[in-house]
Each structure stands twice: as structure tokens, then as C-alpha cells.
Amino acid sequence: MTEDLNAFIKARALGIPSLKPDEKRAFLGNFRDRVAMAVTIRQLHTEAMSQLLEQVLTRYPQYRVYLNGLMPQPLIDQYMKQALAHEIPFNIMAQPGLRVKKTPRADDFGWVLADPKQKIARPILL
């Protein structure tokens, strides 16, 4: 009984344990081995990257797009419309419950293409 109470208190105080939280935070909720391609926010601002992602989405329709919800809204809109045009499912990832609004850095990932269920045998290399 005492062990159950201690475990309960510890779980409430420390939160629910999760596997590789830093990796999942960096890749917008995905494990690295499920990511086919990841693009930084800085790279998303270029027209050449937008055209390249058009080709990638055409070639890999079986994956899902994850967008960083902390990016500027026009950038989110642009890549959300791109995913919709290719009928690719997408998620806008923002961590709920944060008391402090963190502004994203240019080197943070803003666009991730991943398989939500299984490991990817061969990531897309640029």
C-alpha cells in the first residue's frame, strides 16, 4: 500500500515518463527513425525549398507532414496549403499547456515528413 502511494505521488510530481522526449520535441513529436525528411524554419523561407517539397510530396504520398505551430502564420498557411493540394495528411504541432510562449529559432525544424506508425528504411537525403 505504501509503495502504491509513493509511486502515485512520484508520478504526479514528475509527470508521465516518456521515451526520448528531446528527440520527439526536436522532430515535432516523432522519433528520429520514423522521419523521412526534416527542414529547418530558415530553409522554409526560400522559394527553392518550396519547389523541392512539391516534388517530395508528389513522390512520397504515404507519409504525413508535421508543421511547427510556433512558426509565423503565413509560413504555416503556405505549407499547409501545399500538403492539402497533394492530399497529404498533416498536423500542426504546438505543445499545449506551456506557460511561456517560446519563439522558434531559425534552426528549429519547421517541416517534418514522417511515417506515424513505423520506422523508415531509407530517409530522404538532399
Side-chain angles (χ1 to χ4, degrees):
M1 177 83 165
T2 306
E3 283 185 27
D4 293 339
L5 183 58
N6 286 336
F8 178 81
I9 292 171
K10 189 174 181 180
R12 295 295 183 244
L14 300 176
I16 299 171
S18 63
L19 293 173
K20 301 181 183 180
D22 292 334
E23 182 177 305
K24 286 183 80 173
R25 201 172 6 261
F27 290 103
L28 304 179
N30 294 287
F31 292 113
R32 171 180 254 143
D33 58 355
R34 293 182 181 180
V35 173
M37 183 177 176
V39 181
T40 65
I41 295 172
R42 178 181 292 129
Q43 293 170 323
L44 289 175
H45 285 287
T46 64
E47 184 61 32
M49 183 56 71
S50 180
Q51 293 170 357
L52 176 68
L53 295 181
E54 283 283 336
Q55 296 171 3
V56 168
L57 292 177
T58 302
R59 189 164 179 196
Y60 300 97
Q62 70 273 25
Y63 297 138
R64 178 181 293 268
V65 171
Y66 296 86
L67 299 170
N68 189 333
L70 300 176
M71 293 189 303
Q73 192 62 44
L75 204 56
I76 293 172
D77 292 344
Q78 175 185 348
Y79 290 102
M80 181 176 62
K81 288 176 186 174
Q82 187 182 57
L84 285 170
H86 289 276
E87 297 180 359
I88 304 284
F90 68 92
N91 288 15
I92 299 173
M93 305 299 291
Q95 293 179 344
L98 289 179
R99 286 183 251 152
V100 179
K101 289 286 184 183
K102 177 188 150 202
T103 55
R105 298 180 319 217
D107 292 332
D108 288 343
F109 289 124
W111 187 96
V112 172
L113 186 67
D115 190 321
K117 297 183 181 181
Q118 62 188 2
K119 289 173 71 169
I120 292 181
R122 224 172 102 197
I124 303 167
L125 300 175
L126 300 177

